[in-house]
Amino acid sequence: MKSLVLEKREELSLRDFPAIDKIEETLGARDVRIKLHTVGICGSDVHYYTQGRVGPFVVNAPMILGHEASGTVIETGSDVKTLKVGDRVCMEPGIPDPNSKATQLGMYNVDPAVRFWATPPVHGILRSTCVHPEAFTFKLPDNISFGEAAMVEPLATGIHASTKAKIKPGDNALVMGAGTIGLVTALSALAAGCAKVYVTDLAEKKLEIAGSLSPAIVPVNIKSSNIADVIKRDTDGWGVDVVFEASGSPQAAKTVFESLCPGGCVVMIGGQADPVAYDAGAAMVREARVENIFRYAHVFPRCVGMLSSGAIDLKPLITRTFEFSDSVNAFDIAASAPPADVKMQIVLPQ
């Protein structure tokens, strides 16, 4: 079984991985075996490649990359009821301990024992097949492509963030960062009821893509404009109801309250490698509510439903596709952070 293996920092190879072959032989009663079709390249995958770690998660041994995926069921366990061979599916990559307190409280995403694809020491799914629990595998309607289905994973973050923000119809929002997570968050905020969403970035091409997604999205290049001034002008000095920090930039994190209205909500999505400055005074005088996002929970079926109905369209975010044989080159290109690309995906042999 060929896999895309991160051997160590800045070293990738496409090779057989016997240890995975042995694991994949076991199919539990409530598991399905899936032939992978499309896998997205996530920022965390690239960070593991270039830095060898993401926060406390360190690559200490060869690891298969990839966690945004779609595919086709090719075998089912004896107790599987909702899926059958031939079903097209997408998969939620984090498997919690069903007996943990976090899971029992409904917060399975923060279960310390969760096993998440391509998070050391758990292998990812840039490989031919995988075995996955039925409970975390979701059937696709016919009108969702494999490429769109592989985007459900990042979309889940945006939907989770918008849910935590408690958006009301007619709210205005600001999304800091026009990468994949920023743009799916902007679309999620609109689907949740926002009347207008400002999106900021330094890359003009990404802002052009943002502006093309909806007339309700206002792209702002922070090289030439101060977003707080723009929002104050447009809102008669009041501010936006929700600020989503989706860039992972310490500078952006430092300014999250500047555009926020009194009583508004800040949602921290972007990962920060180190502690960042926090303006407690600015938060206090606004009585700001601050939410933090760690992946997502209970949202994959919602994402699939919105893609199928057309409430959210992710196709414009898929800007480049590679063959599996070109995976190493795909990661080199992704690591160079091309300003015109949002989501790059890899298609496996069928």
Side-chain angles (χ1 to χ4, degrees):
M1 179 188 292
K2 291 288 186 186
S3 303
L4 182 66
V5 182
L6 177 60
E7 307 288 359
K8 60 183 180 180
R9 179 181 173 183
E10 297 183 334
E11 183 180 326
L12 287 169
S13 64
L14 210 55
R15 65 174 175 89
D16 291 331
F17 206 95
I20 280 291
D21 292 344
K22 194 167 292 187
I23 293 170
E24 295 297 276
E25 291 174 0
T26 304
L27 182 76
R30 296 183 177 177
D31 293 336
V32 294
R33 195 183 310 277
I34 301 158
K35 182 174 180 58
L36 280 308
H37 187 287
T38 301
V39 179
I41 300 176
C42 177
S44 66
D45 294 318
V46 174
H47 211 72
Y48 282 125
Y49 174 38
T50 59
Q51 303 298 319
R53 66 183 300 154
V54 173
F57 302 105
V58 182
V59 179
N60 292 315
M63 181 183 78
I64 300 171
L65 292 171
H67 63 265
E68 305 173 2
S70 62
T72 304
V73 175
I74 57 173
E75 187 180 358
T76 62
S78 57
D79 292 342
V80 170
K81 300 290 193 298
T82 62
L83 297 168
K84 65 183 186 302
V85 172
D87 282 345
R88 300 163 60 254
V89 294
C90 62
M91 299 79 80
E92 185 167 346
I95 308 304
D97 174 1
N99 299 310
S100 73
K101 186 169 184 177
T103 300
Q104 292 172 354
L105 291 173
M107 304 182 296
Y108 65 83
N109 55 314
V110 295
D111 173 15
V114 70
R115 293 179 56 80
F116 196 94
W117 281 336
T119 301
V122 182
H123 291 289
I125 38 69
L126 271 163
R127 44 188 158 110
S128 299
T129 66
C130 70
V131 170
H132 206 57
E134 174 191 19
F136 290 88
T137 304
F138 304 92
K139 185 177 178 180
L140 300 172
D142 292 340
N143 65 342
I144 296 180
S145 69
F146 283 113
E148 292 170 280
M151 288 288 289
V152 168
E153 197 277 341
L155 175 61
T157 300
I159 295 297
H160 188 53
S162 295
T163 302
K164 293 287 286 285
K166 299 180 181 178
I167 291 169
K168 301 181 295 297
D171 277 353
N172 293 321
L174 163 64
V175 176
M176 307 174 90
T180 301
I181 295 300
L183 295 184
V184 297
T185 299
L187 290 170
S188 300
L190 289 177
C194 277
K196 183 184 292 185
V197 178
Y198 297 84
V199 176
T200 62
D201 207 280
L202 298 167
E204 192 58 43
K205 182 59 181 177
K206 285 186 171 64
L207 291 171
E208 288 177 16
I209 293 172
S212 73
L213 298 176
S214 168
I217 290 179
V218 180
V220 178
N221 193 321
I222 53 175
K223 280 183 182 177
S224 54
S225 300
N226 182 298
I227 184 59
D229 290 343
V230 171
I231 288 173
K232 287 175 183 175
R233 180 198 67 206
D234 290 355
T235 61
D236 294 326
W238 181 247
V240 293
D241 303 280
V242 183
V243 173
F244 296 97
E245 201 307 285
S247 71
S249 161
Q251 182 59 35
K254 188 166 63 175
T255 64
V256 290
F257 300 110
E258 292 181 2
S259 301
L260 187 70
C261 74
C265 178
V266 166
V267 184
M268 302 298 292
I269 307 173
Q272 298 287 346
D274 299 300
V276 296
Y278 180 88
D279 191 340
M284 180 182 67
V285 298
R286 288 169 173 78
E287 282 204 350
R289 178 166 57 91
V290 180
E291 297 281 357
N292 291 277
I293 298 302
F294 185 61
R295 298 171 181 156
Y296 36 74
H298 311 292
V299 295
F300 262 60
R302 293 173 181 266
C303 295
V304 171
M306 285 187 287
L307 289 181
S308 182
S309 72
I312 288 180
D313 181 9
L314 298 179
K315 293 187 288 293
L317 304 188
I318 304 171
T319 51
R320 207 181 311 201
T321 303
F322 299 85
E323 296 298 320
F324 184 56
S325 59
D326 201 23
S327 294
V328 175
N329 178 50
F331 266 79
D332 285 335
I333 293 173
S336 72
D341 281 300
V342 178
K343 176 56 64 180
M344 301 181 187
Q345 294 183 328
I346 294 171
V347 176
L348 286 89
Q350 298 305 300

